[in-house]
Amino acid sequence: MEALVVGKPNVGKSLFVLNFASYLGLREIRLEAVGSDGRVLVRRLSLEDAKRKLVSHNAHKTMAAQGIDVEIAAGRTPRRLTIVDTVGISEGIHHMAEIRQAMASTLARLGTADIVLHLIDSSRIGHKTIEAPGAVDEEIASYARQLGPYIILANKIDKPGSADALSQLREHYRGTPVIPVSALTRRGFREVKSFVLRHMS
Ligand SMILES: Nc1nc2c(ncn2[C@@H]2O[C@H](COP(=O)(O)OP(=O)(O)O)[C@@H](O)[C@H]2O)c(=O)[nH]1
Ligand SMILES: [Mg+2]
């Protein structure tokens, strides 16, 4: 079972993946990174080290898809879930080949993931300079919503002005569930977990 976490750069995908995995009970992060040559590299890190490595203000700190395996207690049998952190999808053709490759592989994975969690930075909504949701979000939404279980996570809801942003997002994406979350404070994680559990086959 694979849950793919997607969105624009800097929306909080990496922090969400790491803290959500920790919320589900994971204590050590076993990072599996698939390089551009297709080889799989495995590293074991503490949660804090993983955050230092993967969470950053700098866009595209996450270069390739990173799968984190967790077990979710669902009834008697724990179910295995792979939460996949991905490179941010941005508009235009990126100047680095590695990033272009990673974006292409994320888009391809949208088609095969069991669940798609689409993060949008709610603190950027309504700001004139940085448009959110942006064209990329529209593309992801219109493609992913027809494939299977899909939700929008309105992240950074801990920041000021988030109530407004949330209602704008809900209005904009009518028909798609929008869950307010904070990758930082873990708000909304319970709701995300139940969404994931509901859709685990
Ligand atoms: N206040 C706040 N900051 C966040 C939240 N999620 C992520 N950030 C910050 O946003 C920046 C980008 O986060 P990161 O996880 O690297 O984003 P990614 O590029 O989508 O993987 C970092 O400085 C994070 O600390 C959140 O829910 N609340
Ligand atoms: Mg990242």
Side-chain angles (χ1 to χ4, degrees):
M1 189 79 191
E2 182 179 291
L4 194 71
V5 177
V6 295
K8 299 209 305 193
N10 267 310
V11 295
K13 296 178 297 300
S14 296
L15 189 60
F16 172 79
V17 166
L18 293 171
N19 277 343
F20 189 57
S22 141
Y23 172 80
L24 295 174
L26 203 72
R27 292 290 159 261
E28 183 190 57
I29 305 288
R30 180 178 174 277
L31 281 183
E32 252 180 43
V34 184
S36 50
D37 58 357
R39 278 196 314 148
V40 178
L41 302 167
V42 176
R43 282 164 300 169
R44 288 175 188 283
L45 297 172
S46 72
L47 187 70
E48 288 313 311
D49 284 345
K51 280 188 206 167
R52 264 192 291 279
K53 197 163 168 45
L54 297 174
V55 177
S56 167
H57 269 307
N58 308 321
H60 299 307
K61 184 84 175 174
T62 316
M63 297 293 239
Q66 313 259 5
I68 293 176
D69 292 329
V70 288
E71 288 198 332
I72 301 195
R76 272 182 213 174
T77 33
R79 313 294 298 272
R80 203 180 168 84
L81 173 74
T82 305
I83 310 167
V84 183
D85 186 13
T86 61
V87 72
I89 306 291
S90 52
E91 276 149 53
I93 298 175
H94 201 275
H95 65 277
M96 284 172 69
E98 194 183 355
I99 303 282
R100 291 200 298 275
Q101 189 84 48
M103 284 191 203
S105 83
T106 299
L107 293 175
R109 266 178 116 146
L110 273 175
T112 57
D114 301 293
I115 299 178
V116 175
L117 308 176
H118 177 185
L119 262 76
I120 293 179
D121 182 343
S122 65
S123 71
R124 298 238 152 151
I125 286 163
H127 291 207
K128 286 209 177 69
T129 45
I130 300 127
E131 189 203 340
V136 168
D137 294 309
E138 302 304 313
E139 299 289 338
I140 294 173
S142 63
Y143 181 63
R145 75 206 308 181
Q146 59 192 6
L147 294 176
Y150 166 71
I151 42 166
I152 290 172
L153 304 182
N155 191 35
K156 307 196 187 181
I157 210 75
D158 56 287
K159 288 188 158 184
S162 60
D164 248 20
L166 181 62
S167 54
Q168 279 187 51
L169 270 181
R170 285 192 162 143
E171 172 78 28
H172 191 79
Y173 291 107
R174 235 180 275 179
T176 299
V178 179
I179 301 179
V181 299
S182 168
L184 192 67
T185 68
R186 306 185 177 204
R187 178 174 158 196
F189 280 18
R190 192 158 52 95
E191 289 80 359
V192 180
K193 180 183 174 185
S194 46
F195 179 85
V196 170
L197 271 176
R198 258 203 314 284
H199 293 95
M200 282 181 97
S201 40

